Amino acid sequence: MRLSKRGEYGLRAMIALAEPADKSATPQMMQIKAISLREQISPKFLEQILLTLKNAGLLHSKMGVGGGYYLARSAKEITLGQIFRVLDGPVAPVKCVSHMSYEPCGCPDEATCGLRLVMGDVRNAIADILDNTSLADVTKRQNAVRKKLASKK
Amino acid sequence: MRLSKRGEYGLRAMIALAEPADKSATPQMMQIKAISLREQISPKFLEQILLTLKNAGLLHSKMGVGGGYYLARSAKEITLGQIFRVLDGPVAPVKCVSHMSYEPCGCPDEATCGLRLVMGDVRNAIADILDNTSLADVTKRQNAVRKKLASKK
DNA sequence: TATAAAGTCTATAGTACTAGTATGCTTTTA
DNA sequence: TAAAAGCATACTAGTACTATAGACTTTATA
């Protein structure tokens, strides 16, 4: 059930872009290089990933000197599910329970297939989390943990 | 987040073995060929899978004429999580949230890594389902659906 | 207006994994 | 003792993963 490196890096990069570096309200713009350094990702690989995300409409970019990538929408309006699906495909463990890209599986009777019933639950559990967690939720949570750790010291 | 064919076939086979074919209380024994026909799986591939499951202690077998495979424990005592892990490895999407086979990931600070927090939730959601669903639960549920469908007609 | 910084796009390559196949072996029962 | 059944291992074709490389385009600014 693993997340590919592509998906992992893409999610990390999006989270990085969602973090308000300074108190400026303008969408944070970051360069590939900056993200790759910070997250320890091969810059060329990251480039590919960000491009995919851009073509999917989740990121915008500005070319030229002083350019970079920034979120296409506010961090509240981008969910992890959207990012995941662009980079790693359907959430469902088997196609026959996928909402977004259903395909029949081989089993004799889908309606009573026990595996399908359970995998449907699994799909829903994953999708529930991913589709109801926005980038803003993630950064909020990070900050909460940071605060908690700081107060403990 | 997909389930491999190996995992899918293995789970299907185990569910098939858990279904009480007749009212006999003795553990149901089935031959590779019977399972492969019923579930439409290449017999040779299935053989490999069942062998793996056997070596993991989830199945027992009887050699020779009239032999076959049967569950090592009662259907109530075998969870889908056990089967899944043998065939597809850890449930966790990233190693750094795996309970069964933890490994550190590259992020600068695991404690406050947003991706890790969310993926931890995902892992728990999946593991909750897989580890709390036994083969008996699956067959029970199948029967419930069958009954429901039959009564609707 | 030249130049360097930055993103765009396509191709390719090594590696590992997937989904099987193939082959020969041993055990058991009729 | 022959046939049925499982045991074990090796092999392979295809695909996906994880990048890497290189040439091109756009933009700011000196």
Side-chain angles (χ1 to χ4, degrees), chain A residues 49-84:
Chain A
I49 296 168
L50 295 184
L51 197 54
T52 306
L53 252 14
K54 190 206 149 155
N55 290 334
L58 295 175
L59 282 180
H60 286 164
S61 66
K62 195 185 161 206
M63 278 186 128
V65 179
Y69 284 93
Y70 55 95
L71 301 182
R73 281 164 277 148
S74 89
K76 259 183 293 198
E77 295 169 299
I78 301 179
T79 67
L80 300 191
Q82 288 162 12
I83 304 168
F84 181 96

Side-chain angles (χ1 to χ4, degrees), chain A residues 96-97 102-114 116-117:
Chain A
C96 64
V97 298
Y102 167 84
E103 261 181 66
C105 59
C107 61
D109 181 13
E110 275 199 8
T112 61
C113 167
R116 188 164 176 273
L117 293 168

Side-chain angles (χ1 to χ4, degrees), chain A residues 7-9 18-19 22 53 72-73 80 96 117 132 139 144 153:
Chain A
E8 179 186 332
Y9 293 165
E19 282 186 276
D22 37 38
L53 252 14
R73 281 164 277 148
L80 300 191
C96 64
L117 293 168
N132 292 311
T139 58
K153 276 184 189 167

Side-chain angles (χ1 to χ4, degrees), chain B residues 9 16 35 41 45 47 60 68 80 94-95 117-118 127 131 148:
Chain B
Y9 293 165
I35 304 176
I41 304 171
F45 191 27
E47 192 179 308
H60 286 165
L80 300 191
V94 288
K95 289 150 288 166
L117 293 168
V118 177
D131 289 333
K148 201 175 164 189

